[in-house]
Amino acid sequence: MGLFVDIKKRLPGFTLEAGFESGAEVLGLLGASGSGKSMTLRCIAGIVKPDKGRIVLNGRVLFDSDKGVNVPCRQRKIGFLFQNYALFPNMTVEENIAFGLQNLDREQKNRIIRANVQMMKLEGLEKRYPFQLSGGQQQRVALARALAIEPEALLLDEPFSALDEHLRSHMQKQFMDTLDHYRGVTLFVTHNIEEAYGLCGKLVVLSGGKVGAEGLKENMFLKPPSLETAQLTGCKNFSAVRRLSANEWEALDWGIRLKVEEEPEERVSHMGIHAHHIRLARREDTENIFKCWPAFTSESPFKMTVYISVGRKPLSPEDYHLQWEIAKERWHELKDRPLPWDICLEPGKLMLLKDK
């Protein structure tokens, strides 16, 4: 049981070809803007009709182009949380929550409304209208409305994008608590890698309307199969490569030779390393040790990003090879050390990537 999707939909500029399956774990749809993430959700929900394919939820065929099946949106038992929440402005909180419950009697409706108001901590707000609510409160109302119909699938379309950082963190915790008790299929669309990693068990990466990669989130972040997947999952350092031997490659953009641990199964075009995986060399290190100089630094509240030139002094702030992320405490220890610094690019942290 679960969700099966295999659809095609012609769109301006590209054709959406989404194919994947989802079970009990939260499945994240990750991709750049315009990659087809939201359109995939709309096709699953029945808001948009695909041109071809099948959608099956818990054994129920929702869409089948060959057999002429296209179950109406309201009959699909799917809860949809839109990016802008899409609350009805002329309805109160309780009326919004009750929107999908028209076929129930008043007593059943009231029972479901009370249960969802309590679950979403909306007590005292039942008679308010959306314009009288904060962004976080509106989001909780939208989630309560999506859950009120007891959906077999819950579709979340970038639900945190309109929230500030503090509220986003709070609402992520609220979502995690809610999803712990939800037993249906959950699809979570985002382009935020921290959200994807925190909330999802598996990821599907969409690129230009096609599935570029899919798998467990840990594998997708640590061993992405392609250059684009690595970029979408937060890697900032890339170089075109040339193979020298079984486990040695030349990083053409960095001007260095590197040993790697993995043996690639497919044609490789690039190498990558996460900014936080670069480190100072230790006495016991024997491979991939290089001298470096800082070209310039960028500061955030809790870390420093040091843009470093490898093998030679930089000629300008733009003359660098790698971004190196360091905790503020570590940076205070490092910044006054004599130059050059010795860094290590661990063989096990280097990623060999194909173009697509």
Side-chain angles (χ1 to χ4, degrees):
M1 303 296 278
L3 177 67
F4 169 84
V5 177
D6 184 11
I7 55 173
K8 291 185 179 181
K9 176 69 177 177
R10 187 178 297 278
L11 301 168
F14 69 93
T15 297
L16 173 65
E17 298 181 32
F20 56 85
E21 295 185 51
S22 179
E25 284 189 292
V26 178
L27 178 68
L29 297 184
L30 190 65
S33 297
S35 61
K37 305 184 301 298
S38 296
M39 181 58 67
T40 299
L41 293 195
R42 290 173 177 269
C43 288
I44 295 169
I47 300 170
V48 175
K49 182 182 177 182
D51 298 326
K52 187 178 180 181
R54 293 184 86 228
I55 302 171
V56 182
L57 176 60
N58 294 334
R60 290 190 301 123
V61 178
L62 304 182
F63 176 79
D64 190 321
S65 57
D66 291 338
K67 296 181 179 179
V69 176
N70 186 26
V71 175
C73 181
R74 292 178 66 89
Q75 297 176 19
R76 294 197 177 195
K77 293 287 285 183
I78 289 177
F80 201 131
L81 180 55
F82 294 88
Q83 185 174 353
N84 62 355
Y85 314 141
L87 297 177
F88 298 104
N90 60 329
M91 293 185 182
T92 64
V93 166
E94 59 186 4
E95 289 170 340
N96 266 282
I97 295 173
F99 178 75
L101 308 175
Q102 285 89 339
N103 295 328
L104 302 181
D105 60 40
R106 182 182 297 274
E107 184 178 344
Q108 288 176 303
K109 280 186 183 181
N110 289 339
R111 177 177 54 80
I112 293 172
I113 291 170
R114 285 195 301 270
N116 281 276
V117 163
Q118 184 177 13
M119 180 173 63
M120 291 293 113
K121 299 179 174 60
L122 295 166
E123 294 94 335
L125 304 177
E126 294 90 338
K127 303 298 182 183
R128 292 192 186 182
Y129 290 89
F131 75 90
Q132 297 172 311
L133 304 174
S134 68
Q137 290 168 341
Q138 289 182 33
Q139 186 189 65
R140 281 183 278 153
V141 174
L143 181 56
R145 182 180 62 185
L147 292 171
I149 63 170
E150 298 183 351
E152 294 181 24
L154 185 61
L155 311 182
L156 310 172
D157 190 3
E158 301 201 46
F160 307 120
S161 61
L163 304 178
D164 61 46
E165 193 64 33
H166 171 72
L167 193 53
R168 179 181 300 176
S169 176
H170 176 76
M171 289 308 301
Q172 285 181 16
K173 174 63 167 60
Q174 172 83 56
F175 262 65
M176 292 174 69
D177 292 344
T178 302
L179 295 178
D180 279 345
H181 298 91
Y182 175 66
R183 293 294 171 258
V185 172
T186 304
L187 265 60
F188 181 84
V189 160
T190 184
H191 61 265
N192 185 301
I193 59 173
E194 293 184 2
E195 289 177 4
Y197 199 90
L199 291 170
C200 304
K202 295 182 179 179
L203 295 176
V204 169
V205 175
L206 286 177
S207 172
K210 295 178 174 59
V211 175
E214 59 183 307
L216 294 174
K217 66 179 179 184
E218 294 85 358
N219 296 338
M220 299 288 279
F221 278 83
L222 295 177
K223 295 293 181 182
S226 67
L227 176 61
E228 184 170 15
T229 302
Q231 291 170 331
L232 287 171
T233 52
C235 187
K236 298 173 183 175
N237 297 309
F238 302 98
S239 172
V241 292
R242 180 170 66 92
R243 190 168 191 167
L244 302 175
S245 64
N247 68 336
E248 187 175 15
W249 297 73
E250 182 180 6
L252 302 175
D253 299 314
W254 303 338
I256 54 179
R257 297 185 174 193
L258 292 151
K259 295 287 183 68
V260 299
E261 283 187 354
E262 64 177 308
E263 182 72 18
E265 298 178 358
E266 302 180 76
R267 186 178 181 86
V268 169
S269 63
H270 288 77
M271 174 181 290
I273 186 169
H274 284 288
H276 62 276
H277 282 162
I278 300 172
R279 62 171 176 80
L280 287 174
R282 304 171 184 140
R283 289 184 179 180
E284 62 268 25
D285 292 326
T286 58
E287 295 178 325
N288 296 351
I289 301 170
F290 305 97
K291 296 192 177 301
C292 73
W293 288 258
F296 74 103
T297 60
S298 176
E299 184 176 6
S300 66
F302 305 108
K303 68 181 180 183
M304 295 291 295
T305 300
V306 186
Y307 296 76
I308 54 176
S309 174
V310 179
R312 57 175 174 77
K313 292 182 179 181
L315 300 176
S316 69
E318 291 75 31
D319 184 23
Y320 66 89
H321 299 102
L322 296 165
Q323 296 184 43
W324 179 14
E325 291 181 355
I326 311 174
K328 277 282 189 68
E329 295 81 1
R330 191 75 176 106
W331 170 247
H332 291 313
E333 298 172 4
L334 173 66
K335 64 179 182 177
D336 295 326
R337 287 192 183 188
L339 295 172
W341 302 324
D342 289 324
I343 58 166
C344 179
L345 307 184
E346 292 183 49
K349 301 296 186 183
L350 292 166
M351 302 177 291
L352 295 177
L353 309 164
K354 59 182 181 179
D355 263 333
K356 295 182 178 179

